[in-house]
């Protein structure tokens, strides 16, 4: 589930994979932050990156799938000056260190070794004063989420993420949060920290 070919094929299988709306946890956690330069990791069809750009952020939207990026760009051509769409595998090619005021990744469920490599790169990409926001399916939903297909090892804890922080950070949110009734995934893990 991590290769460009796999994700390109998944996006080609349907005209739209995701809802087209920004992730609610992104909206909740980022509203009120001073806009700056943001990195949206695994941006998919672009809803989060577009929302950020609409709210004053300059965004680099990164995904392993070029098909997803082409679709994202077509959804908001008027945002071309505020969003750069970039194809990359951030496990193998980490982002520029201390280059972003916000680094956000939603539902990046990887096996432990590539997950650690990616998350350490994301931590390093946050500049002083910036925010790291990671949101994932909580392990409580192992029978409903990606664990059904990939195994429970793709889940992680807030304690694991905190262990990747280097330097001085303030952990502002580290919790399991219920999702709206009727959602197939019942709980989110939300981790937000600010580099001091």
């Amino acid at each position: 589930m991590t290769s460009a070919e796999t994700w390109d094929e998944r996006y080609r299988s349907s005209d739209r994979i995701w809802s087209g709306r920004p992730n609610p946890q992104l909206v909740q956690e980022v509203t009120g932050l001073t806009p700056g330069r943001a990195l949206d990791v695994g941006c998919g069809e672009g809803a989060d990156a577009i929302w950020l750009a609409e709210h004053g952020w300059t965004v680099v939207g990164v995904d392993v799938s070029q098909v997803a990026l082409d679709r994202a760009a077509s959804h908001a051509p008027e945002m071309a000056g505020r969003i750069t769409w970039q194809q990359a595998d951030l496990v193998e090619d980490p982002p520029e260190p201390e280059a972003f005021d916000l680094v956000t990744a939603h539902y990046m469920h990887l096996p432990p070794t590539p997950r650690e490599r990616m998350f350490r790169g994301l931590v390093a990409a946050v500049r002083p004063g910036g925010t790291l926001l990671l949101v994932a399916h909580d392990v409580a939903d192992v029978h409903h989420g990606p664990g059904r297909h990939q195994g429970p090892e793709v889940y992680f804890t807030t304690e694991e993420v905190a262990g990747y922080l280097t330097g001085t950070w303030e952990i502002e949110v580290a919790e399991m949060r219920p999702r709206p009734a009727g959602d197939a995934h019942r709980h989110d893990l939300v981790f937000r920290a600010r580099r001091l």
Side-chain angles (χ1 to χ4, degrees):
M1 288 299 293
T2 61
S3 72
E5 294 79 10
T6 299
W7 281 104
D8 281 346
E9 187 58 35
R10 180 168 183 193
Y11 281 106
R12 284 192 194 103
S13 71
S14 176
D15 290 338
R16 182 180 287 258
I17 299 293
W18 312 117
S19 71
R21 298 183 302 274
N23 281 297
Q25 308 292 13
L26 175 81
V27 174
Q28 180 174 345
E29 297 301 326
V30 172
T31 296
L33 296 181
T34 301
R37 188 169 187 238
L39 177 65
D40 179 16
V41 178
C43 65
E45 294 166 322
D48 285 358
I50 293 166
W51 183 89
L52 287 165
E54 289 172 342
H55 288 80
W57 295 83
T58 300
V59 186
V60 178
V62 176
D63 203 280
V64 72
S65 169
Q66 188 62 52
V67 174
L69 293 167
D70 292 344
R71 187 173 296 174
S74 74
H75 288 161
E78 72 281 4
M79 290 293 175
R82 298 197 67 87
I83 307 175
T84 301
W85 305 107
Q86 178 182 337
Q87 194 278 332
D89 178 350
L90 295 182
V91 174
E92 301 300 330
D93 186 18
E96 179 184 352
E98 296 191 7
F100 297 94
D101 302 290
L102 172 67
V103 173
T104 177
H106 282 66
Y107 310 108
M108 297 300 296
H109 289 276
L110 302 170
T113 298
R115 178 173 68 235
E116 178 176 356
R117 290 175 64 185
M118 176 182 281
F119 283 6
R120 287 192 184 280
L122 301 187
V123 167
V126 180
R127 61 174 49 127
T131 296
L132 174 71
L133 174 63
L134 301 176
V135 177
H137 301 301
D138 192 85
V139 70
D141 291 345
V142 66
H143 300 297
H144 306 283
R148 291 176 300 165
H149 310 294
Q150 297 169 264
E153 67 274 7
V154 301
Y155 292 89
F156 54 91
T157 64
T158 56
E159 291 81 8
E160 177 184 332
V161 176
Y164 300 144
L165 301 179
T166 57
T168 306
W169 290 75
E170 178 183 359
I171 298 174
E172 298 175 319
V173 178
E175 64 187 24
M176 181 180 75
R177 191 175 292 169
R179 290 179 66 85
D183 195 304
H185 307 292
R186 295 170 175 83
H187 303 90
D188 279 335
L189 174 152
V190 181
F191 183 90
R192 190 185 79 214
R194 184 169 61 91
R195 184 189 288 276
L196 302 179

